[in-house]
C-alpha cells in the first residue's frame, strides 16, 4: 500500500468510527432533542482546538455475543482542547453506541484523560450521557467506575473538575459527578438517579417518571446535586465557558486576571439597603454595585437561595462571594445553605480564590425540622470551611449579624483578615425584640403599661447594642465604612493580601463534619 493509500485508509477508518452508533441511533438521539457527543465537544471548545485520543480503542468483552459487536470508540470520545484559550481535558459519552454504557476499555479511556489532566494541570470536563455500567461486562464495568471515582477523589482540589449531565446518568455512575466540583444540567435532558423508576416500582410499588425522580429541576432546586440549570445544551455550554474564565487551571495557579472595569452606574450601593431594618432587599445588588462590570456569576442559584454564592471580579481578579440573602427567609442559615456555602468556600480555598463575605442574617433557622435534619452538623461545616481557608478572607457586615450567624459568617474569630461594617450594622447576640423580652422580662411584666415598657426597652437595647461601634471598640471589626467606600476597601484589602501566608499545624488531613 502506498503512503497515499495508507492515509486514505486512515481517514476512512476514522470516518467510520466517528459516525458513532449508526444512523438509527443518531436519529433517536436527535429526536430526543440531544446533540451528539462529537457535536457537544465541538460546540464547547474553541474552533478546531479539539485533539482526540484513543479513537481506535475497542472493548474486549466476549460474552453475550459481544465479540461480534464493534462499538465505535467504545462509546466515549476523549481528548484535549481549549476554551477561550484555556486548556482542558474532556470526555463525552456517546449514547448512540450501546447507550454510552461503561465497560472496562470505555472507563480506561476516561481514566487516561483524567490522569493526563492531573499531570498537565488542566481542568477536566466530563459529559455524561449513559445507561451506566455495561451490563454484559459485569464486574469489569464496576471496576471501571471504581477507577474513575478513585481518580475523581485524588484530583479533587488539584484540578477543577466539571460534570455535564446530558442524558441519563444512572446507578452508581452518578457518583463521579457527585465527586466533582461543578455539575451542569439541562431541562428535559438530564436525568440523575441511583435507583431508577423501574426499581422503585418493583421495590416500593410507586410510579414516578425519570424527570420527577431526578430531572434538571429536581437536581438544581431540591437536592442541590447540580449547580447550574439551563434550558438548552447551547445555553449550558455558554455557562461552562463562562465558568472556565473565572477559575485557575490548577491549584498552583491563580485565575487569569481581566482588565478592571468599574461597576455599572445602575447599581447605587447607598440606596440598596432599605430605611426600615426589617425590610428585605436583594443582596445580589450589593455584589453588583461593587464588582467589576457588575458581573456576578452565581452558582447554585436555584437551591438554598437564602445564601448566595458565586464568582465576581474586583479590579480584574477573581473573587468568591458568599452573601446572606435577606430576600429569602431573611437570609437565615440552615442545613442546605450551610452545605452550599461550605462547599463553595472549600473550592475557593483549594484554588487560590480570595473570599468576600457579605453579612446580613438573623442567625440560624430555629425549628424541630432543622434540628432533626442535623443543623448542628451541617452548620458546623460552615465554621470548619471558613476556619480552614487560608486564602485572603474579607468580610463586610451590612446589617444584621446576630448570634451564631455573626460568628459563622467569616467573623474575625474564624480568621477573617479584614472585617468592615457599614454604619447600618447591628452586631448582637440576638435581635432587639427577643433580647428585650428576655433581659427586661420583669420590668415589662411589672410595668403599668407592659407594651409601652417593652417598646422603651427595645429602643434602649437597640441604641446600646444594635450598631457596629461596640464591636469596633473591641477590635472585632477593623473599620466602620460607608457603603460607597466598600469597593475601594475590598480592592485595597485584596492588593495588600497577595503575599498572605499562614502556617498551620502539620496534619494528614482534618476531619470536617461531613
Ligand atoms: C448495556 C445498554 C445499557 C447498559 C442501555 N444500553 N443501557 N447496554 N448496558 N447499562 C443499550 C440498550 O440495550 C440499547 O441498545 C441502547 O443502549 C439504547 O438504550 P435504550 O434502552 O433503547 O434507550 P432509552 O429507551 O433511551 O433508555 C435509556 C435508559 C435505559 C433509561 C438509560 O437504556 C436503561 O434503563 N438502561 C439501563 C440502566 C441501568 O440500569 N444501568 C445499570 C445501572 S447499575 P440497542 O442495541 O438496543 O440499541 C450501574 C452500576 C454502577 O450503573 C455501579 C458503580 C458503582
Amino acid at each position: 500500500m502506498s503512503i497515499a493509500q495508507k492515509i486514505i485508509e486512515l481517514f476512512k477508518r476514522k470516518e467510520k468510527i466517528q459516525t458513532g452508533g449508526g444512523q438509527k441511533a443518531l436519529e433517536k438521539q436527535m429526536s430526543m432533542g440531544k446533540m451528539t457527543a462529537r457535536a457537544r465537544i465541538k460546540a464547547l471548545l474553541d474552533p478546531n482546538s479539539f485533539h482526540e485520543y484513543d479513537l481506535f480503542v475497542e472493548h474486549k468483552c466476549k460474552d453475550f455475543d459481544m465479540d461480534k459487536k464493534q462499538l465505535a470508540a467504545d462509546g466515549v470520545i476523549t481528548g484535549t482542547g481549549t476554551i477561550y484559550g484555556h486548556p482542558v481535558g474532556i470526555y463525552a459519552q456517546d449514547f448512540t453506541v450501546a447507550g454510552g454504557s461503561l465497560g472496562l476499555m470505555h472507563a480506561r479511556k476516561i481514566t487516561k484523560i483524567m490522569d493526563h489532566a492531573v499531570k498537565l494541570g488542566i481542568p477536566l470536563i466530563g459529559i455524561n450521557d449513559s445507561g451506566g455500567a455495561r451490563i454484559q461486562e459485569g464486574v469489569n464495568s464496576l471496576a471501571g467506575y471504581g477507577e474513575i471515582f478513585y481518580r475523581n477523589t485524588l484530583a479533587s482540589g488539584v484540578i477543577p473538575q466539571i460534570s455535564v449531565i446530558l442524558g441519563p446518568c444512572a446507578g452508581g455512575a452518578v457518583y463521579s459527578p457527585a465527586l466533582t466540583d461543578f455539575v451542569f444540567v439541562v431541562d428535559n435532558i438530564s436525568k440523575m438517579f441511583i435507583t431508577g423508576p423501574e426499581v422503585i416500582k418493583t421495590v416500593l410499588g410507586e410510579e414516578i417518571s425519570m424527570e420527577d425522580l431526578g430531572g434538571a429541576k429536581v437536581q438544581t432546586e431540591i437536592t442541590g446535586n447540580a449547580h447550574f440549570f439551563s434550558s438548552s445544551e447551547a445555553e449550558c455550554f455558554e455557562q461552562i465557558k463562562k465558568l472556565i474564565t473565572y477559575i485557575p487551571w490548577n491549584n498552583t495557579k491563580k485565575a487569569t486576571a481581566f482588565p478592571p472595569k468599574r461597576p455599572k452606574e445602575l447599581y447605587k450601593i447607598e440606596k440598596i439597603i432599605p430605611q426600615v431594618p426589617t425590610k428585605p432587599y436583594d443582596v445580589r445588588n450589593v455584589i453588583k454595585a461593587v464588582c467589576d462590570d457588575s458581573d456576578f456569576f452565581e452558582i447554585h442559584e436555584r437551591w438554598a437561595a437564602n445564601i448566595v454564592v458565586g464568582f465576581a471580579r474586583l479590579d480584574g481578579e477573581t473573587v468568591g462571594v458568599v452573601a446572606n440573602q435577606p430576600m429569602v427567609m431573611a437570609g437565615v442559615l440552615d442545613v442546605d445553605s450551610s452545605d452550599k456555602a461550605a462547599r463553595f468556600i472549600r473550592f475557593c480555598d483549594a484554588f487560590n480564590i480570595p473570599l468576600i463575605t457579605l453579612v446580613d442574617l438573623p442567625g440560624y433557622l430555629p425549628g424541630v425540622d432543622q434540628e432533626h435534619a442535623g443543623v448542628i452538623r451541617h452548620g458546623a461545616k460552615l465554621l470548619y470551611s471558613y476556619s480552614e481557608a487560608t486564602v485572603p478572607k474579607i468580610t463586610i457586615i451590612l446589617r444584621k449579624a446576630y448570634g451564631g450567624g455573626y460568628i459563622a459568617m467569616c467573623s474575625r474569630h474564624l480568621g477573617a483578615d479584614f472585617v468592615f461594617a457599614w454604619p447600618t450594622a447591628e452586631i448582637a447576640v440576638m435581635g432587639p425584640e427577643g433580647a428585650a423580652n428576655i433581659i427586661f422580662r420583669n420590668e415589662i411584666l411589672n410595668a403599668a403599661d407592659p407594651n409601652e415598657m417593652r417598646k422603651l426597652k427595645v429602643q434602649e437595647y437597640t441604641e446600646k447594642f444594635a450598631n457596629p461601634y461596640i464591636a469596633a471598640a473591641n477590635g472585632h471589626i477593623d473599620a466602620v465604612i460607608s457603603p460607597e467606600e466598600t469597593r475601594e476597601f475590598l480592592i485595597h484589602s485584596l492588593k495588600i493580601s497577595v503575599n498572605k501566608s499562614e502556617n498551620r499545624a502539620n496534619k494528614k488531613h482534618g476531619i470536617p463534619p461531613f
Side-chain angles (χ1 to χ4, degrees), residues 238-273:
E238 287 310 311
Q239 290 174 342
I240 298 168
K241 287 183 191 177
K242 187 155 186 185
L243 172 67
I244 287 288
T245 69
Y246 280 104
I247 58 179
W249 297 1
N250 62 59
N251 64 340
T252 67
K253 298 253 180 299
K254 287 208 51 130
T256 309
F258 274 59
K261 268 189 176 174
R262 294 203 61 76
K264 292 189 171 123
E265 289 291 318
L266 176 72
Y267 299 97
K268 299 253 179 264
I269 196 160
E270 66 279 9
K271 296 207 172 120
I272 295 170
I273 292 202

Side-chain angles (χ1 to χ4, degrees), residues 1 74 99 125 135 158 206 212 353 375 413 450 469 484 502:
M1 214 191 273
D74 207 30
I125 301 173
I135 296 162
V158 180
E206 289 168 15
D212 290 342
I353 298 173
V375 71
H413 325 296
Y469 299 107
E484 292 90 333
E502 265 189 61

Side-chain angles (χ1 to χ4, degrees), residues 128 152 163 165 169 173-181 183 192 343:
N128 296 259
N152 283 136
S163 296
I165 315 297
C169 185
V174 290
Y175 282 116
S176 175
L179 288 165
T180 63
D181 303 312
V183 179
M192 296 171 79
R343 181 172 169 152

